[in-house]
Amino acid sequence: MEWLKIVIDYGIVGLLLVMSVMALAVALERYLFYRSVKIDEFTDRKTLELELTGKLHLIATIGSNAPYIGLLGTVLGIMLTFYTMGSAGFMDTGKIMIGLALALKVTAVGLLVAIPSVACYNLLLRKAKVLILQWEIKHGRQGL
């Protein structure tokens, strides 16, 4: 069962770190795009909306799934701890705490990925809606 510790430490935490980098990269790209977009160049609202909301789903997906991946790591860590306790018979408290700390570490990393991702998604979505409303005001149109 030593392989499970490696899967938790490197596999799940590594996956969460990759997801974090992806979410931050997309958020940065969208932020820079929003700063440089010229809403007057768009002739219709739907095209503008498609351009502004592109790739936002990736941030939302990462933000909503990171806690579940962290929870998966937690469950695997607790399973590993119980397996080790069962196979060793009597264990000292230190070994049990190390296993539980490993499990909770993955939950914390999942939350550290999810919270900024959801915050970035909400901020970027708000900025996209503001740009769409500005386009509608300039073009004298109501939401079609």
Side-chain angles (χ1 to χ4, degrees), residues 43-46 49 132 135-136 139-144:
T43 55
D44 66 90
R45 180 187 183 277
K46 295 294 182 185
E49 188 172 355
I132 291 168
W135 182 90
E136 288 178 350
H139 289 83
R141 298 179 186 173
Q142 298 298 321
L144 300 173

Side-chain angles (χ1 to χ4, degrees), residues 52-74:
L52 293 176
T53 59
K55 300 179 190 169
L56 286 182
H57 65 283
L58 296 173
I59 301 171
T61 301
I62 290 170
S64 62
N65 287 305
Y68 295 117
I69 294 171
L71 181 61
L72 173 64
T74 301

Side-chain angles (χ1 to χ4, degrees), residues 97-113:
M97 292 304 145
I98 290 172
L100 294 178
L102 172 69
L104 293 175
K105 175 178 75 171
V106 183
T107 301
V109 173
L111 292 174
L112 286 174
V113 172

Side-chain angles (χ1 to χ4, degrees), residues 15-36:
L15 175 63
L16 286 167
L17 291 177
V18 168
M19 290 170 62
S20 177
V21 169
M22 285 176 52
L24 290 176
V26 172
L28 181 61
E29 184 274 333
R30 289 285 87 191
Y31 174 74
L32 294 174
F33 175 72
Y34 292 163
R35 287 186 53 191
S36 67

